[in-house]
Amino acid sequence: MNDQPELRRDPVTGSWVAVAPERAKRPIALSGHQPRQRANGERHPCPFCPGQEHATPHEVFAFRDPSSPTDGPGWQLRVVPNMYPAVRPESLTTIAIRDSELLESVPAYGTAEVLIECPEHIHDPKELTDSQFTNVFVAYRERLRMFAGDTRLAHVAVFKNVGAEAGASLGHTHSQIIALPVVPDLLRAELDGAKEHFSRTGRCIYCDLVSEELKDGSRVIATSANFVVIAAFAPRFAYEVWILPRQHQPRYEALSDANANELARLMKRLLFTLDAVLGEPAYNWHLHTTPLHAGEPEHYHWHLELLPRTARPAGIEWGFGCHITTAMPEVAARELRAALPM
Amino acid sequence: MNDQPELRRDPVTGSWVAVAPERAKRPIALSGHQPRQRANGERHPCPFCPGQEHATPHEVFAFRDPSSPTDGPGWQLRVVPNMYPAVRPESLTTIAIRDSELLESVPAYGTAEVLIECPEHIHDPKELTDSQFTNVFVAYRERLRMFAGDTRLAHVAVFKNVGAEAGASLGHTHSQIIALPVVPDLLRAELDGAKEHFSRTGRCIYCDLVSEELKDGSRVIATSANFVVIAAFAPRFAYEVWILPRQHQPRYEALSDANANELARLMKRLLFTLDAVLGEPAYNWHLHTTPLHAGEPEHYHWHLELLPRTARPAGIEWGFGCHITTAMPEVAARELRAALPM
């Protein structure tokens, strides 16, 4: 059946996608696979390099030598406000700008931050040391905990863009943290799907998914003591990968340092195999966790999703939300497993 | 207020987007605007050119001289099955391939067609004559009418990709028609929003939107006797444009030949102003109309949406569905109005 196109339903959101291996054969004169572009003519040192701290807004968080001055060198990881924010902390009210029956808008209250992952001017997160990579996952947690007290905020979007095709505008490896006064769409869709599953079964849908995927095995790429890496059953991009905690954990804020280290080492192995199999694609990863003031739900479970830019979305994706991919997730998982470093 | 970032809610689907004009100033070393790419080294004649009919599957529809043979030259417009289909008519059943409680998939029953818009090897739809452009909109209608009888199908996605960055794989101007056994996500989201509005107000949300936009005027780009062109209030891409019938019309199938001609002339003017203002961007347009077997709903109203590829979506878009754009729709509308040909 593996050469027949299939329509698959995302187990959580219910979105339909088409998996059509035959389309991989179509002419690629104008379309196709997007390799990770290197920065051309990028200045070095860049604004994210040590010694250039004056080129960014004042830092709001850092791992740095105790003796080093704020906004000076001597840091291992640094979080600064985005120079070009989509949302702004000085928008102190959320009083509607427009509020007709149909058209509603509010000032973009929130915070947009850049998390500079290491002092070295490297583009590729798989070149981070294990300790640096662990710092990234610990810093995600610390920023989430910091925002937990702001009742004007609803959700914190943590994500990373690697390569120009994935939306990165600077090469020096960094993540982004955007705190918003609303719960964004895709998270809301997951929460709705998870709630529906819980009301039907009394169980967390992600716990059920982990259990079913481990039993089936065909989409499992890697495992560690506390995490599972699977090829998404209904991917939006070929080779889409999900990383989930094995145990129920609604909030990323609860991640222990030891588990951050385990997650970092697993993620690095995943990046090595993705780059080997796909030839260094551009990609995004993003963290989905329970919204800030939503307690500790029994039905929702944090996870990371990694989307390699393996195709250029077209009218069917943008116009209808129906993604068409060319690699069966079971085939993708087999290839990634085979190339996985020890 | 026009330099302050704003969070806007799509009036129909309820999706939140951020409009942040300041982000237009960020460095574009790695990111930014995607001009329309020309085919490099594309063969001419291409498989869509007259005389090359043997290079495509057998035609299923055409406007051609009565004396000309099927699958020979002499046509003005030609619809052929996609060589690399995402869905296939020979998948005759919709019996589940997988049907666990969580993971569901069905054979991709359906039809994927390519609508070759003219015999001339041109890339740019604004070079179509008025009569050729009218043929395109009439042919959309004819294909929709043809699929209306197939109860295994739920919806027909009609769309067009212009430029490699918008997912086009061949340059010769063409549209795509994909008939699916499910109602795709974004259409379902619109239908849900429209139904909710109707149950609250007793009116079609698109009729209300047309009326409110015409009264407000700030997002109106162009009008004709029967259609309105507006800048989307909560765009996913800067300069996103919607084209709506002024009067309630649930199904595109009801479009008259005269209105197809009026729509074609309006659309050409829109393409001229978009290309002038944005420097020939890649773009998609897609047709949203009532699903095949859903009658003539009072709450839903067909329309076209045009999405120029004015940015590279990143982690916030792919991971959270929260689009960030840099041009206020009211500013975009003013620029497009100013550059609109007579």
Side-chain angles (χ1 to χ4, degrees), chain B residues 107-135:
Chain B
Y109 173 70
T111 308
E113 298 179 345
V114 173
L115 187 158
I116 307 165
E117 296 167 358
C118 66
E120 295 82 10
H121 185 81
I122 58 173
H123 284 203
D124 190 340
K126 72 181 191 298
E127 293 172 23
L128 293 171
T129 65
D130 286 0
S131 149
Q132 287 175 327
F133 216 131
T134 303
N135 278 348

PDB file of all heavy atoms in Angstrom, chain B residues 107-135:
ATOM      1  N   PRO B 107      -7.890   5.653   1.731  1.00  0.00           N
ATOM      2  CA  PRO B 107      -7.260   5.828   0.419  1.00  0.00           C
ATOM      3  C   PRO B 107      -7.625   7.207  -0.106  1.00  0.00           C
ATOM      4  O   PRO B 107      -8.726   7.699   0.134  1.00  0.00           O
ATOM      5  CB  PRO B 107      -7.912   4.734  -0.435  1.00  0.00           C
ATOM      6  CG  PRO B 107      -8.522   3.768   0.520  1.00  0.00           C
ATOM      7  CD  PRO B 107      -8.878   4.559   1.740  1.00  0.00           C
ATOM      8  N   ALA B 108      -6.693   7.815  -0.800  1.00  0.00           N
ATOM      9  CA  ALA B 108      -6.899   9.186  -1.260  1.00  0.00           C
ATOM     10  C   ALA B 108      -7.757   9.185  -2.517  1.00  0.00           C
ATOM     11  O   ALA B 108      -7.293   9.476  -3.614  1.00  0.00           O
ATOM     12  CB  ALA B 108      -5.562   9.869  -1.483  1.00  0.00           C
ATOM     13  N   TYR B 109      -9.060   8.877  -2.337  1.00  0.00           N
ATOM     14  CA  TYR B 109      -9.983   8.943  -3.462  1.00  0.00           C
ATOM     15  C   TYR B 109     -10.171  10.396  -3.864  1.00  0.00           C
ATOM     16  O   TYR B 109     -10.336  11.274  -3.012  1.00  0.00           O
ATOM     17  CB  TYR B 109     -11.346   8.339  -3.103  1.00  0.00           C
ATOM     18  CG  TYR B 109     -12.350   8.568  -4.199  1.00  0.00           C
ATOM     19  CD1 TYR B 109     -12.219   7.890  -5.410  1.00  0.00           C
ATOM     20  CD2 TYR B 109     -13.368   9.497  -4.063  1.00  0.00           C
ATOM     21  CE1 TYR B 109     -13.097   8.119  -6.449  1.00  0.00           C
ATOM     22  CE2 TYR B 109     -14.261   9.739  -5.100  1.00  0.00           C
ATOM     23  CZ  TYR B 109     -14.117   9.052  -6.295  1.00  0.00           C
ATOM     24  OH  TYR B 109     -14.977   9.299  -7.319  1.00  0.00           O
ATOM     25  N   GLY B 110     -10.188  10.634  -5.155  1.00  0.00           N
ATOM     26  CA  GLY B 110     -10.418  11.998  -5.600  1.00  0.00           C
ATOM     27  C   GLY B 110      -9.816  12.206  -6.967  1.00  0.00           C
ATOM     28  O   GLY B 110      -9.379  11.251  -7.629  1.00  0.00           O
ATOM     29  N   THR B 111      -9.780  13.452  -7.409  1.00  0.00           N
ATOM     30  CA  THR B 111      -9.281  13.766  -8.735  1.00  0.00           C
ATOM     31  C   THR B 111      -8.414  14.999  -8.636  1.00  0.00           C
ATOM     32  O   THR B 111      -8.787  15.956  -7.966  1.00  0.00           O
ATOM     33  CB  THR B 111     -10.457  14.057  -9.689  1.00  0.00           C
ATOM     34  OG1 THR B 111     -11.376  12.974  -9.611  1.00  0.00           O
ATOM     35  CG2 THR B 111      -9.979  14.196 -11.110  1.00  0.00           C
ATOM     36  N   ALA B 112      -7.258  14.939  -9.266  1.00  0.00           N
ATOM     37  CA  ALA B 112      -6.376  16.106  -9.320  1.00  0.00           C
ATOM     38  C   ALA B 112      -6.216  16.485 -10.782  1.00  0.00           C
ATOM     39  O   ALA B 112      -5.766  15.674 -11.593  1.00  0.00           O
ATOM     40  CB  ALA B 112      -5.030  15.786  -8.689  1.00  0.00           C
ATOM     41  N   GLU B 113      -6.623  17.702 -11.100  1.00  0.00           N
ATOM     42  CA  GLU B 113      -6.596  18.145 -12.497  1.00  0.00           C
ATOM     43  C   GLU B 113      -5.779  19.423 -12.650  1.00  0.00           C
ATOM     44  O   GLU B 113      -5.687  20.222 -11.721  1.00  0.00           O
ATOM     45  CB  GLU B 113      -8.022  18.437 -12.979  1.00  0.00           C
ATOM     46  CG  GLU B 113      -8.920  17.221 -12.956  1.00  0.00           C
ATOM     47  CD  GLU B 113     -10.353  17.508 -13.406  1.00  0.00           C
ATOM     48  OE1 GLU B 113     -10.730  18.703 -13.461  1.00  0.00           O
ATOM     49  OE2 GLU B 113     -11.075  16.555 -13.694  1.00  0.00           O
ATOM     50  N   VAL B 114      -5.236  19.569 -13.835  1.00  0.00           N
ATOM     51  CA  VAL B 114      -4.522  20.800 -14.187  1.00  0.00           C
ATOM     52  C   VAL B 114      -5.334  21.511 -15.257  1.00  0.00           C
ATOM     53  O   VAL B 114      -5.751  20.886 -16.238  1.00  0.00           O
ATOM     54  CB  VAL B 114      -3.118  20.460 -14.721  1.00  0.00           C
ATOM     55  CG1 VAL B 114      -2.428  21.711 -15.252  1.00  0.00           C
ATOM     56  CG2 VAL B 114      -2.288  19.803 -13.638  1.00  0.00           C
ATOM     57  N   LEU B 115      -5.571  22.797 -15.064  1.00  0.00           N
ATOM     58  CA  LEU B 115      -6.337  23.594 -16.027  1.00  0.00           C
ATOM     59  C   LEU B 115      -5.344  24.500 -16.756  1.00  0.00           C
ATOM     60  O   LEU B 115      -4.817  25.455 -16.168  1.00  0.00           O
ATOM     61  CB  LEU B 115      -7.396  24.396 -15.264  1.00  0.00           C
ATOM     62  CG  LEU B 115      -8.438  25.188 -16.039  1.00  0.00           C
ATOM     63  CD1 LEU B 115      -9.663  25.432 -15.149  1.00  0.00           C
ATOM     64  CD2 LEU B 115      -7.913  26.510 -16.565  1.00  0.00           C
ATOM     65  N   ILE B 116      -5.040  24.143 -17.994  1.00  0.00           N
ATOM     66  CA  ILE B 116      -4.082  24.931 -18.782  1.00  0.00           C
ATOM     67  C   ILE B 116      -4.858  26.111 -19.364  1.00  0.00           C
ATOM     68  O   ILE B 116      -5.797  25.931 -20.127  1.00  0.00           O
ATOM     69  CB  ILE B 116      -3.447  24.059 -19.883  1.00  0.00           C
ATOM     70  CG1 ILE B 116      -2.861  22.783 -19.245  1.00  0.00           C
ATOM     71  CG2 ILE B 116      -2.396  24.835 -20.653  1.00  0.00           C
ATOM     72  CD1 ILE B 116      -2.525  21.683 -20.246  1.00  0.00           C
ATOM     73  N   GLU B 117      -4.446  27.327 -18.996  1.00  0.00           N
ATOM     74  CA  GLU B 117      -5.325  28.484 -19.170  1.00  0.00           C
ATOM     75  C   GLU B 117      -5.327  29.074 -20.575  1.00  0.00           C
ATOM     76  O   GLU B 117      -6.248  29.798 -20.939  1.00  0.00           O
ATOM     77  CB  GLU B 117      -4.966  29.552 -18.127  1.00  0.00           C
ATOM     78  CG  GLU B 117      -5.229  29.055 -16.708  1.00  0.00           C
ATOM     79  CD  GLU B 117      -4.622  29.933 -15.621  1.00  0.00           C
ATOM     80  OE1 GLU B 117      -3.945  30.927 -15.950  1.00  0.00           O
ATOM     81  OE2 GLU B 117      -4.810  29.610 -14.433  1.00  0.00           O
ATOM     82  N   CYS B 118      -4.260  28.780 -21.333  1.00  0.00           N
ATOM     83  CA  CYS B 118      -4.198  29.304 -22.699  1.00  0.00           C
ATOM     84  C   CYS B 118      -3.148  28.524 -23.461  1.00  0.00           C
ATOM     85  O   CYS B 118      -2.278  27.905 -22.855  1.00  0.00           O
ATOM     86  CB  CYS B 118      -3.840  30.797 -22.688  1.00  0.00           C
ATOM     87  SG  CYS B 118      -2.167  31.099 -22.076  1.00  0.00           S
ATOM     88  N   PRO B 119      -3.220  28.531 -24.786  1.00  0.00           N
ATOM     89  CA  PRO B 119      -2.207  27.786 -25.554  1.00  0.00           C
ATOM     90  C   PRO B 119      -0.837  28.467 -25.539  1.00  0.00           C
ATOM     91  O   PRO B 119       0.184  27.790 -25.613  1.00  0.00           O
ATOM     92  CB  PRO B 119      -2.785  27.734 -26.974  1.00  0.00           C
ATOM     93  CG  PRO B 119      -3.974  28.630 -27.004  1.00  0.00           C
ATOM     94  CD  PRO B 119      -4.322  29.031 -25.603  1.00  0.00           C
ATOM     95  N   GLU B 120      -0.797  29.786 -25.447  1.00  0.00           N
ATOM     96  CA  GLU B 120       0.482  30.497 -25.473  1.00  0.00           C
ATOM     97  C   GLU B 120       1.326  30.127 -24.248  1.00  0.00           C
ATOM     98  O   GLU B 120       0.808  30.027 -23.152  1.00  0.00           O
ATOM     99  CB  GLU B 120       0.263  32.024 -25.488  1.00  0.00           C
ATOM    100  CG  GLU B 120      -0.418  32.554 -26.740  1.00  0.00           C
ATOM    101  CD  GLU B 120      -1.942  32.414 -26.696  1.00  0.00           C
ATOM    102  OE1 GLU B 120      -2.491  32.083 -25.621  1.00  0.00           O
ATOM    103  OE2 GLU B 120      -2.578  32.599 -27.762  1.00  0.00           O
ATOM    104  N   HIS B 121       2.631  29.991 -24.452  1.00  0.00           N
ATOM    105  CA  HIS B 121       3.523  29.666 -23.335  1.00  0.00           C
ATOM    106  C   HIS B 121       3.841  30.942 -22.559  1.00  0.00           C
ATOM    107  O   HIS B 121       4.950  31.489 -22.652  1.00  0.00           O
ATOM    108  CB  HIS B 121       4.803  29.002 -23.839  1.00  0.00           C
ATOM    109  CG  HIS B 121       5.699  28.542 -22.723  1.00  0.00           C
ATOM    110  ND1 HIS B 121       5.487  27.362 -22.054  1.00  0.00           N
ATOM    111  CD2 HIS B 121       6.783  29.113 -22.139  1.00  0.00           C
ATOM    112  CE1 HIS B 121       6.405  27.223 -21.110  1.00  0.00           C
ATOM    113  NE2 HIS B 121       7.213  28.283 -21.142  1.00  0.00           N
ATOM    114  N   ILE B 122       2.866  31.428 -21.788  1.00  0.00           N
ATOM    115  CA  ILE B 122       3.117  32.602 -20.951  1.00  0.00           C
ATOM    116  C   ILE B 122       3.053  32.193 -19.490  1.00  0.00           C
ATOM    117  O   ILE B 122       2.359  31.236 -19.129  1.00  0.00           O
ATOM    118  CB  ILE B 122       2.125  33.760 -21.234  1.00  0.00           C
ATOM    119  CG1 ILE B 122       0.680  33.293 -21.014  1.00  0.00           C
ATOM    120  CG2 ILE B 122       2.314  34.315 -22.633  1.00  0.00           C
ATOM    121  CD1 ILE B 122      -0.335  34.410 -21.115  1.00  0.00           C
ATOM    122  N   HIS B 123       3.822  32.901 -18.665  1.00  0.00           N
ATOM    123  CA  HIS B 123       3.882  32.590 -17.231  1.00  0.00           C
ATOM    124  C   HIS B 123       2.909  33.432 -16.430  1.00  0.00           C
ATOM    125  O   HIS B 123       2.543  33.072 -15.326  1.00  0.00           O
ATOM    126  CB  HIS B 123       5.291  32.875 -16.697  1.00  0.00           C
ATOM    127  CG  HIS B 123       6.290  31.851 -17.072  1.00  0.00           C
ATOM    128  ND1 HIS B 123       7.443  31.655 -16.368  1.00  0.00           N
ATOM    129  CD2 HIS B 123       6.309  30.943 -18.076  1.00  0.00           C
ATOM    130  CE1 HIS B 123       8.135  30.683 -16.920  1.00  0.00           C
ATOM    131  NE2 HIS B 123       7.474  30.237 -17.971  1.00  0.00           N
ATOM    132  N   ASP B 124       2.588  34.607 -16.972  1.00  0.00           N
ATOM    133  CA  ASP B 124       1.939  35.621 -16.158  1.00  0.00           C
ATOM    134  C   ASP B 124       0.465  35.726 -16.536  1.00  0.00           C
ATOM    135  O   ASP B 124       0.139  36.115 -17.646  1.00  0.00           O
ATOM    136  CB  ASP B 124       2.661  36.956 -16.408  1.00  0.00           C
ATOM    137  CG  ASP B 124       2.230  38.021 -15.432  1.00  0.00           C
ATOM    138  OD1 ASP B 124       1.146  37.890 -14.826  1.00  0.00           O
ATOM    139  OD2 ASP B 124       2.976  38.999 -15.279  1.00  0.00           O
ATOM    140  N   PRO B 125      -0.421  35.403 -15.582  1.00  0.00           N
ATOM    141  CA  PRO B 125      -1.846  35.427 -15.943  1.00  0.00           C
ATOM    142  C   PRO B 125      -2.345  36.809 -16.343  1.00  0.00           C
ATOM    143  O   PRO B 125      -3.367  36.900 -17.007  1.00  0.00           O
ATOM    144  CB  PRO B 125      -2.540  34.919 -14.671  1.00  0.00           C
ATOM    145  CG  PRO B 125      -1.559  35.084 -13.572  1.00  0.00           C
ATOM    146  CD  PRO B 125      -0.204  34.984 -14.195  1.00  0.00           C
ATOM    147  N   LYS B 126      -1.640  37.866 -15.998  1.00  0.00           N
ATOM    148  CA  LYS B 126      -2.151  39.177 -16.418  1.00  0.00           C
ATOM    149  C   LYS B 126      -1.914  39.423 -17.902  1.00  0.00           C
ATOM    150  O   LYS B 126      -2.453  40.358 -18.466  1.00  0.00           O
ATOM    151  CB  LYS B 126      -1.626  40.316 -15.535  1.00  0.00           C
ATOM    152  CG  LYS B 126      -0.199  40.723 -15.655  1.00  0.00           C
ATOM    153  CD  LYS B 126       0.064  41.860 -14.630  1.00  0.00           C
ATOM    154  CE  LYS B 126       1.417  42.530 -14.868  1.00  0.00           C
ATOM    155  NZ  LYS B 126       2.566  41.624 -14.726  1.00  0.00           N
ATOM    156  N   GLU B 127      -1.146  38.526 -18.557  1.00  0.00           N
ATOM    157  CA  GLU B 127      -1.003  38.592 -20.014  1.00  0.00           C
ATOM    158  C   GLU B 127      -2.125  37.854 -20.744  1.00  0.00           C
ATOM    159  O   GLU B 127      -2.191  37.878 -21.980  1.00  0.00           O
ATOM    160  CB  GLU B 127       0.352  38.029 -20.446  1.00  0.00           C
ATOM    161  CG  GLU B 127       1.518  38.895 -19.990  1.00  0.00           C
ATOM    162  CD  GLU B 127       2.874  38.236 -20.256  1.00  0.00           C
ATOM    163  OE1 GLU B 127       2.965  37.365 -21.141  1.00  0.00           O
ATOM    164  OE2 GLU B 127       3.839  38.588 -19.544  1.00  0.00           O
ATOM    165  N   LEU B 128      -2.985  37.157 -20.007  1.00  0.00           N
ATOM    166  CA  LEU B 128      -4.153  36.545 -20.652  1.00  0.00           C
ATOM    167  C   LEU B 128      -5.042  37.652 -21.210  1.00  0.00           C
ATOM    168  O   LEU B 128      -5.169  38.718 -20.603  1.00  0.00           O
ATOM    169  CB  LEU B 128      -4.965  35.727 -19.641  1.00  0.00           C
ATOM    170  CG  LEU B 128      -4.323  34.454 -19.056  1.00  0.00           C
ATOM    171  CD1 LEU B 128      -5.186  33.910 -17.910  1.00  0.00           C
ATOM    172  CD2 LEU B 128      -4.124  33.390 -20.133  1.00  0.00           C
ATOM    173  N   THR B 129      -5.669  37.411 -22.358  1.00  0.00           N
ATOM    174  CA  THR B 129      -6.670  38.367 -22.841  1.00  0.00           C
ATOM    175  C   THR B 129      -7.885  38.295 -21.912  1.00  0.00           C
ATOM    176  O   THR B 129      -8.049  37.319 -21.158  1.00  0.00           O
ATOM    177  CB  THR B 129      -7.137  38.013 -24.269  1.00  0.00           C
ATOM    178  OG1 THR B 129      -7.828  36.752 -24.208  1.00  0.00           O
ATOM    179  CG2 THR B 129      -5.961  37.894 -25.246  1.00  0.00           C
ATOM    180  N   ASP B 130      -8.739  39.313 -21.981  1.00  0.00           N
ATOM    181  CA  ASP B 130      -9.951  39.292 -21.155  1.00  0.00           C
ATOM    182  C   ASP B 130     -10.763  38.031 -21.426  1.00  0.00           C
ATOM    183  O   ASP B 130     -11.322  37.424 -20.509  1.00  0.00           O
ATOM    184  CB  ASP B 130     -10.831  40.514 -21.448  1.00  0.00           C
ATOM    185  CG  ASP B 130     -10.241  41.789 -20.842  1.00  0.00           C
ATOM    186  OD1 ASP B 130      -9.162  41.710 -20.210  1.00  0.00           O
ATOM    187  OD2 ASP B 130     -10.861  42.850 -21.016  1.00  0.00           O
ATOM    188  N   SER B 131     -10.809  37.654 -22.685  1.00  0.00           N
ATOM    189  CA  SER B 131     -11.606  36.495 -23.056  1.00  0.00           C
ATOM    190  C   SER B 131     -10.976  35.199 -22.510  1.00  0.00           C
ATOM    191  O   SER B 131     -11.669  34.306 -22.013  1.00  0.00           O
ATOM    192  CB  SER B 131     -11.743  36.490 -24.579  1.00  0.00           C
ATOM    193  OG  SER B 131     -11.840  35.196 -25.054  1.00  0.00           O
ATOM    194  N   GLN B 132      -9.654  35.103 -22.548  1.00  0.00           N
ATOM    195  CA  GLN B 132      -8.982  33.930 -21.980  1.00  0.00           C
ATOM    196  C   GLN B 132      -9.184  33.865 -20.465  1.00  0.00           C
ATOM    197  O   GLN B 132      -9.427  32.804 -19.899  1.00  0.00           O
ATOM    198  CB  GLN B 132      -7.476  33.974 -22.299  1.00  0.00           C
ATOM    199  CG  GLN B 132      -7.156  33.662 -23.756  1.00  0.00           C
ATOM    200  CD  GLN B 132      -5.675  33.836 -24.082  1.00  0.00           C
ATOM    201  OE1 GLN B 132      -4.988  34.711 -23.512  1.00  0.00           O
ATOM    202  NE2 GLN B 132      -5.169  33.030 -25.006  1.00  0.00           N
ATOM    203  N   PHE B 133      -9.068  35.027 -19.822  1.00  0.00           N
ATOM    204  CA  PHE B 133      -9.229  35.072 -18.363  1.00  0.00           C
ATOM    205  C   PHE B 133     -10.664  34.683 -17.997  1.00  0.00           C
ATOM    206  O   PHE B 133     -10.908  33.945 -17.031  1.00  0.00           O
ATOM    207  CB  PHE B 133      -8.892  36.474 -17.842  1.00  0.00           C
ATOM    208  CG  PHE B 133      -8.192  36.500 -16.499  1.00  0.00           C
ATOM    209  CD1 PHE B 133      -7.045  37.264 -16.305  1.00  0.00           C
ATOM    210  CD2 PHE B 133      -8.683  35.777 -15.418  1.00  0.00           C
ATOM    211  CE1 PHE B 133      -6.401  37.301 -15.074  1.00  0.00           C
ATOM    212  CE2 PHE B 133      -8.044  35.810 -14.173  1.00  0.00           C
ATOM    213  CZ  PHE B 133      -6.902  36.571 -14.012  1.00  0.00           C
ATOM    214  N   THR B 134     -11.622  35.152 -18.792  1.00  0.00           N
ATOM    215  CA  THR B 134     -13.024  34.773 -18.571  1.00  0.00           C
ATOM    216  C   THR B 134     -13.197  33.259 -18.699  1.00  0.00           C
ATOM    217  O   THR B 134     -13.878  32.627 -17.890  1.00  0.00           O
ATOM    218  CB  THR B 134     -13.935  35.498 -19.580  1.00  0.00           C
ATOM    219  OG1 THR B 134     -13.735  36.909 -19.442  1.00  0.00           O
ATOM    220  CG2 THR B 134     -15.404  35.161 -19.349  1.00  0.00           C
ATOM    221  N   ASN B 135     -12.557  32.692 -19.709  1.00  0.00           N
ATOM    222  CA  ASN B 135     -12.618  31.229 -19.888  1.00  0.00           C
ATOM    223  C   ASN B 135     -12.169  30.484 -18.635  1.00  0.00           C
ATOM    224  O   ASN B 135     -12.732  29.444 -18.288  1.00  0.00           O
ATOM    225  CB  ASN B 135     -11.697  30.791 -21.038  1.00  0.00           C
ATOM    226  CG  ASN B 135     -12.345  30.970 -22.396  1.00  0.00           C
ATOM    227  OD1 ASN B 135     -13.560  31.207 -22.480  1.00  0.00           O
ATOM    228  ND2 ASN B 135     -11.546  30.863 -23.448  1.00  0.00           N
TER     229      ASN B 135
END
